[in-house]
Amino acid sequence: MPRYEFRCRTCGETFEVSRPMAQSSDPASCPAGHDDTVKLLSAVAVGGAAGSAPAPSGGGGGGGGCCGGGCCG
C-alpha cells in the first residue's frame, strides 16, 4: 500500500500515512490531533548500480526507429 507524507501546519511535525491510491488526496490528521495538514510531494528514486549496463550507442547496428531499423534508404 502506498505511503504518503504529510506535514502539520500547526505543530510542524512530518508524518506518513499508508492508504490506497484512491484515497491519496484525502485529508489526514497529525499524530497530535491537528487537522491543518498538507500533503508533501515525494521524489521517487529508481535504483540501479551506476555503470551496470552500457548506455545505448547512437547510430548503426540495429534497434528501433526508422533509421536504426533499416527502413531508410
Side-chain angles (χ1 to χ4, degrees):
M1 186 170 304
R3 297 179 65 94
Y4 300 95
E5 192 173 25
F6 289 83
R7 185 178 54 82
C8 178
R9 291 180 178 165
T10 303
C11 66
E13 184 167 349
T14 300
F15 60 97
E16 292 183 347
V17 176
S18 294
R19 57 171 60 157
M21 289 174 68
Q23 298 172 359
S24 67
S25 297
D26 290 356
S29 295
C30 87
H34 305 123
D35 291 325
D36 189 13
T37 61
V38 61
K39 186 174 133 183
L40 302 176
L41 293 176
S42 299
V44 177
V46 178
S52 63
S57 61
C66 180
C67 293
C71 66
C72 298

